[in-house]
Amino acid sequence: MNDLLRLTVAVSLLGAAIAQSPAIFPAEYSAVAEGPLDSPNLPLAYGTSRVQLVYERADLNIPAGRQIRRLGFRQDATFPNIEAGRSLQLEIRMGLTSLATTAVTGTFDTNFTTTPTTVFGPALLALPALRDPAAPLPNGQFWITLTTPFTYNPGSNNLVVEYRVYATSGGGAPFAWRLDRADYHSPTALGPDGCAHSGGQLPRLTVDPVRTAGYYSSSLTQGPAQSLAVLAMTTGAPLTTPFSLQPFLPGIATACRGQVSLTNPLALTAVTNSSGGVYYSFFVPNSPALYNDLFVSSQAVLLDFFAPGGAAVSNGAQVQIGIPPRCTTVYAGGPPSTMTSGSASANYCPVSFFDYQ
């Protein structure tokens, strides 16, 4: 086999492997082993019911033109008990909508822009037990193989998946079957220690996860008491490799090293309390396009007359701003053929998997 033929085969095999990799929604949950919330019984355990999940395409990493062949969910891994499955008489429909998830209504049919396609059933489906050590689910996941794959060509539209449960082996009543559920993803990280102030303590800076339309919050502890504390901040970049501050604060201790960029930094000022603590907070606007995954890196500079160079610094702290899951769930209990409307729950998102080819 010549080199060109080997390269062609290798590229073809790689493309096939990539095509068979399942997409996860929200997309950023590929790095999240377990969401912070759970879905007690939606979308499959609400009894006799009609349930829609509307997914925004921005968070759905499926190339246009591919066929979705399986739908999956994963069990909530934090709940300690086994939850038995049930048998369902189930139909699944898929289609597209021009509505953003924030505009989805409780009227099921008007949420479809395209005519939905029945991709499963109506047919029997047996739900497995969750968190059963005698019969563990592979990777904690449960899959439904579609009888009719759905060709995903969203254009400017979003994806709608509708679950119609006509009957259950539990007499049609809802039952507990907890699935993993997403929330905003906002990872944080702390830099190395700063330097001690004249009282001998190392100032400690922490930062909380934050989302758009929420409040950025960071706390300083172990600083000098009743002293000016300047929180130097930079946006759009993580913490930097520690660098010397002596060119900027002559005489400062060698251990006092900078961890945020000094190019056009922002600054929040406050005075520490009698224990050397201070709290910083500000509102993050509800603009996902501007702020989703944006880094905010910070480090406190503390004035201290008796410290070398008259100052000490904390460790650095960074956070990436998250956004609520771009998914809306619409649900109603009762015979699916008679349920025309239900309750719409924005940002309600069981972690979902899509296997495509």
Side-chain angles (χ1 to χ4, degrees):
M1 184 183 293
N2 62 39
D3 290 343
L4 179 59
L5 182 56
R6 288 192 184 94
L7 179 60
T8 302
V9 171
V11 170
S12 298
L13 291 174
L14 177 61
I18 292 173
Q20 294 175 1
S21 299
I24 185 171
F25 189 98
E28 57 199 359
Y29 265 58
S30 59
V32 180
E34 175 71 15
L37 305 172
D38 70 79
S39 181
N41 47 32
L42 294 173
L44 293 166
Y46 202 59
T48 304
S49 58
R50 185 177 182 182
V51 180
Q52 280 184 349
L53 296 177
V54 183
Y55 303 94
E56 284 205 13
R57 67 188 181 283
D59 255 351
L60 191 56
N61 291 336
I62 302 175
R66 299 296 177 88
Q67 288 191 317
I68 299 172
R69 59 181 184 175
R70 292 195 301 165
L71 302 174
F73 299 97
R74 66 186 182 193
Q75 64 191 12
D76 178 63
T78 60
F79 188 71
N81 299 332
I82 299 172
E83 291 179 321
R86 299 282 192 276
S87 291
L88 312 178
Q89 180 69 6
L90 175 68
E91 179 183 5
I92 303 175
R93 299 181 179 186
M94 297 180 69
L96 301 174
T97 181
S98 60
L99 299 174
T101 55
T102 53
V104 167
T105 72
T107 306
F108 290 104
D109 289 341
T110 59
N111 290 330
F112 284 108
T113 299
T114 64
T115 301
T117 300
T118 295
V119 295
F120 180 90
L124 287 175
L125 177 74
L127 299 180
L130 301 181
R131 296 170 298 277
D132 184 355
L137 298 177
N139 300 317
Q141 296 174 12
F142 165 73
W143 288 95
I144 303 172
T145 299
L146 305 182
T147 51
T148 303
F150 180 78
T151 302
Y152 182 67
N153 279 312
S156 60
N157 296 310
N158 297 315
L159 179 66
V160 185
V161 182
E162 180 172 300
Y163 298 87
R164 294 184 167 207
V165 177
Y166 293 95
T168 77
S169 60
F175 56 96
W177 203 68
R178 289 173 178 81
L179 298 175
D180 189 25
R181 180 156 68 95
D183 199 357
Y184 68 92
H185 179 53
S186 177
T188 63
L190 301 180
D193 288 341
C195 56
H197 58 77
S198 61
Q201 289 187 305
L202 283 171
R204 300 295 301 167
L205 184 66
T206 59
V207 64
D208 295 334
V210 61
R211 62 172 175 83
T212 53
Y215 282 87
Y216 170 94
S217 300
S218 64
S219 297
L220 177 77
T221 58
Q222 300 182 180
Q226 311 292 358
S227 296
L228 182 65
V230 180
L231 189 69
M233 308 179 66
T234 186
T235 59
L239 295 172
T240 68
T241 302
F243 58 91
S244 174
L245 288 173
Q246 291 179 346
F248 310 97
L249 295 170
I252 196 170
T254 304
C256 301
R257 299 176 66 79
Q259 297 176 31
V260 299
S261 172
L262 296 182
T263 302
N264 298 320
L266 306 172
L268 295 179
T269 60
V271 175
T272 61
N273 60 27
S274 59
S275 299
V278 68
Y279 176 76
Y280 302 93
S281 179
F282 60 84
F283 183 72
V284 178
N286 188 19
S287 300
L290 292 177
Y291 296 106
N292 185 32
D293 291 334
L294 182 73
F295 280 103
V296 179
S297 300
S298 58
Q299 185 179 19
V301 180
L302 308 150
L303 299 189
D304 182 353
F305 181 83
F306 289 101
V313 299
S314 73
N315 60 291
Q318 74 179 40
V319 62
Q320 274 184 286
I321 298 173
I323 61 172
R326 289 178 279 196
C327 175
T328 291
T329 299
V330 185
Y331 57 97
S337 57
T338 64
M339 295 293 101
T340 59
S341 63
S343 300
S345 185
N347 309 130
Y348 192 101
C349 183
V351 176
S352 304
F353 295 84
F354 299 84
D355 188 29
Y356 62 90
Q357 62 182 3

